[in-house]
Amino acid sequence: MLIALIARDKPGALPIRKENRTEHLAYIEKTGVVFQAGPLIEGGEMAGSLVILDVADKSAAEDWAANDPYAKAGLFDKVELIEWKKVVG
């Protein structure tokens, strides 16, 4: 099942994102369930995340999201997990 994780950073949280980026990327590599990922950009700066997870179910996506170093560092203002269907690409 593909799940889109759409997260918006808290205002002024760019330093938190930069401080935790290495751990976040290592987590992505270690877990092996990320289909696609990248930051959302606003005004030329990273301001959130879009991560497509390939997991068994929504519960697995919730667990992945809760254990993401970005989430643990308190980076996000809002996180949505939505089932996603790949059509193009």
Side-chain angles (χ1 to χ4, degrees):
M1 164 183 271
L2 296 175
I3 302 281
L5 180 155
I6 304 166
R8 303 293 256 160
D9 294 358
K10 291 178 180 174
L14 185 58
I16 295 171
R17 175 175 283 277
K18 289 180 177 179
E19 290 166 8
N20 291 277
R21 186 174 166 104
T22 299
E23 291 83 5
H24 168 73
L25 294 175
Y27 179 67
I28 287 174
E29 184 70 27
K30 179 181 92 172
T31 58
V33 298
V34 175
F35 179 68
Q36 292 182 328
L40 301 175
I41 307 295
E42 290 182 341
E45 295 288 346
M46 294 179 286
S49 297
L50 171 60
V51 180
I52 306 298
L53 300 167
D54 189 352
V55 292
D57 53 34
K58 193 165 183 181
S59 177
E62 290 167 350
D63 183 62
W64 190 94
N67 288 292
D68 178 0
Y70 278 167
K72 288 184 171 186
L75 173 63
F76 301 130
D77 184 40
K78 180 179 180 184
V79 176
E80 293 181 90
L81 293 167
I82 305 166
E83 187 173 351
W84 181 74
K85 180 179 178 181
K86 180 182 175 187
V87 175
V88 177

